Amino acid sequence: MTDPAPSGAPGSPASSTSRATARVERSDDDWRARLSDEEFRIARGGGTERAFTGRYWNHHEPGRYLCVCCGTPLFASGQKYDSGSGWPSWWQPIDDARLARRRDASHGMVRTEVQCAACDAHLGHVFDDGPAPSGLRYCINSASLRFEPEAGPRR
C-alpha cells in the first residue's frame, strides 16, 4: 500500500484553485487554556486516542466536524463512513485546502499525517485504502474535532 501524496505534490488531492485558509497562531499556554488535557495532548502534541474510545467513531448525526482548536470546518457527515478501524473516518474532507499533509515516519511505519491547515492541529492520518470515489480513508481522532449539528428546518 502506498500513502497518498502530500499536499501540493503531483497527484495530491489539494487543488491550486482552492482558497487559502486563514492562519490561527497561539502560544502553547493559550492552547492549554482553551483545550482539555486530552485535546491538547492529541491536537497540539500529535498524540492519538485508543481505537473505539473517541466520542465520534460511532456518531451518525447530520452535521459538520470542526477543528477543536480553531473551529475550521473540516469534514461533513455525508462523507463519513464506518471503516472498522475504531476511529471516525471520511472518504473526503469539506475542502482539501483546509488540510495540510506531512510525511510521518514515527512508530516504525511511514504514513501521511493530516493537520488543520489553519492552526497545524494534529488530526490523524490519511490512507489510500478507503471507499470510492476517492479511495482515501481520513482516519481522524475524535479529540481533534468538535461536532456542529446540521440546522433543522426553522418554524
Side-chain angles (χ1 to χ4, degrees):
M1 173 189 323
T2 60
D3 281 332
S7 183
S12 75
S15 165
S16 60
T17 60
S18 297
R19 65 181 169 74
T21 301
R23 293 289 303 157
V24 176
E25 296 184 18
R26 300 187 187 285
S27 69
D28 277 351
D29 288 340
D30 194 12
W31 287 125
R32 282 185 197 280
R34 294 170 179 271
L35 302 170
S36 72
D37 290 345
E38 180 79 346
E39 290 167 344
F40 185 85
R41 181 183 71 79
I42 292 171
R44 305 313 310 170
T48 192
E49 59 203 8
R50 288 186 4 248
F52 302 103
T53 64
R55 64 184 170 264
Y56 301 129
W57 78 267
N58 194 24
H59 184 256
H60 304 288
E61 187 178 347
R64 301 185 308 175
Y65 297 83
L66 316 178
C67 176
V68 73
C69 295
C70 70
T72 298
L74 301 171
F75 297 96
S77 59
Q79 288 73 43
K80 189 173 186 285
Y81 74 101
D82 182 2
S83 67
S85 68
W87 285 274
S89 299
W90 288 264
W91 53 266
Q92 172 182 297
I94 290 173
D95 181 348
D96 285 320
R98 296 177 189 178
L99 300 179
R101 293 163 185 81
R102 75 172 187 82
R103 185 177 186 268
D104 177 2
S106 64
H107 306 291
M109 61 186 109
V110 177
R111 303 174 288 174
T112 301
E113 179 186 4
V114 181
Q115 297 175 324
C116 173
C119 70
D120 298 330
H122 169 73
L123 302 173
H125 294 87
V126 61
F127 303 94
D128 66 355
D129 60 359
S134 71
L136 298 176
R137 172 174 51 102
Y138 290 87
C139 192
I140 307 298
N141 290 291
S142 291
S144 295
L145 302 172
R146 178 173 51 87
F147 181 71
E148 178 182 78
E150 190 174 280
R154 295 183 184 218
R155 296 180 186 217

